[in-house]
Amino acid sequence: MGVLLKLGIPLATHSALIHGTQIICASHVNAFGLVASATNSIGNKVQKLINVFTLSLNTGAGAMVGQNLGARKLDRVKKIVFTTMGMAAIFSSVAAMIALFLPRQAFSLFTSDPEVIEFGVTYLRISLIVFALAPLQGSLGSVVTGSGFANLNFISGVLDGVILRLGISFFLAYTCGMGVTGFFFGNALARLGPTLVSGCYFLSGKWKTRKLLVEQGKNGK
């Protein structure tokens, strides 16, 4: 139970911070009118639909990293990270092609409103940032998750949700006068935080010597 709580509470807080700040941003987007609200809502659906394969890869990678760290097969961890990164890059490239060449068709799956479809082009072009970061964020993040470093996941959540998503969105939307597109950019650029944190952790190599929580519990008995 102690291990589950040590893993679960930071991860739950991480998820709550991200989803909570997304709700705050959505409420501000809604204030810009029906077209902006519909574009943001549908854009999130389209983005998740396009990214479903990448997200599935990252989930599998986290489990595989955990298994191989437990078995102390560290070379396999690197192979998992780079293989996942390469496969995710293929799916992200397809997503980028859709965003660049078929944005109207993608939005047309959810709406027939011409204004929303046209604004959806802007949304998906900004989403190119998300698609570019997805292979790095997921594959590198799998090492943080697989090693059971829940506290670092918590830090990523604070950086992603509170500091970057809210900070960038409000700065661009209101200070720079970009309006609703500022929130679109803020949501996309927020991914930089966890990507940098996970990347630094992976490059540091500290995951190689980190003891999993189960091992820590056994040693403490």
Side-chain angles (χ1 to χ4, degrees):
M1 184 180 291
V3 172
L4 288 173
L5 290 174
K6 286 180 181 178
L7 286 171
I9 292 175
L11 287 173
T13 307
H14 168 272
S15 180
L17 285 170
I18 292 177
H19 290 296
T21 53
Q22 286 176 339
I23 292 172
I24 293 172
C25 289
S27 68
H28 282 267
V29 169
N30 293 343
F32 286 92
L34 185 60
V35 172
S37 176
T39 301
N40 185 58
S41 177
I42 294 171
N44 283 327
K45 291 183 177 68
V46 172
Q47 195 179 98
K48 288 177 181 178
L49 182 63
I50 292 174
N51 265 338
V52 66
F53 296 108
T54 304
L55 292 172
S56 300
L57 278 173
N58 297 338
T59 302
M64 292 177 68
V65 167
Q67 290 171 346
N68 284 280
L69 283 177
R72 294 303 171 197
K73 296 179 179 179
L74 302 181
D75 288 340
R76 287 188 179 182
V77 173
K78 290 184 177 181
K79 289 180 181 179
I80 291 167
V81 170
F82 292 122
T83 301
T84 303
M85 194 180 295
M87 294 176 68
I90 294 173
F91 290 121
S92 290
S93 297
V94 174
M97 292 300 102
I98 293 173
L100 283 171
F101 302 112
L102 299 171
R104 293 177 179 84
Q105 290 81 348
F107 257 72
S108 295
L109 295 173
F110 299 92
T111 182
S112 58
D113 188 319
E115 287 187 74
V116 175
I117 291 173
E118 285 305 311
F119 202 16
V121 175
T122 300
Y123 185 98
L124 285 183
R125 295 286 163 78
I126 295 172
S127 294
L128 288 170
I129 299 170
V130 177
F131 302 142
L133 291 174
L136 293 172
Q137 181 182 356
S139 58
L140 296 172
S142 68
V143 178
V144 178
T145 303
S147 65
F149 203 164
N151 290 335
L152 190 58
N153 257 322
F154 171 75
I155 293 171
S156 294
V158 173
L159 190 59
D160 180 333
V162 179
I163 298 175
L164 292 181
R165 179 171 285 106
L166 291 182
I168 294 174
S169 294
F170 284 111
F171 177 74
L172 293 179
Y174 300 122
T175 305
C176 297
M178 292 178 63
V180 69
T181 55
F183 284 95
F184 296 165
F185 272 109
N187 183 59
L189 291 170
R191 271 77 172 180
L192 279 170
T195 302
L196 290 173
V197 169
S198 301
C200 290
Y201 181 61
F202 177 72
L203 292 174
S204 72
K206 291 183 179 179
W207 51 272
K208 297 178 182 178
T209 56
R210 177 175 170 76
K211 289 187 176 182
L212 303 181
L213 289 180
V214 174
E215 296 173 344
Q216 293 173 18
K218 289 179 179 178
N219 293 335
K221 290 182 178 179

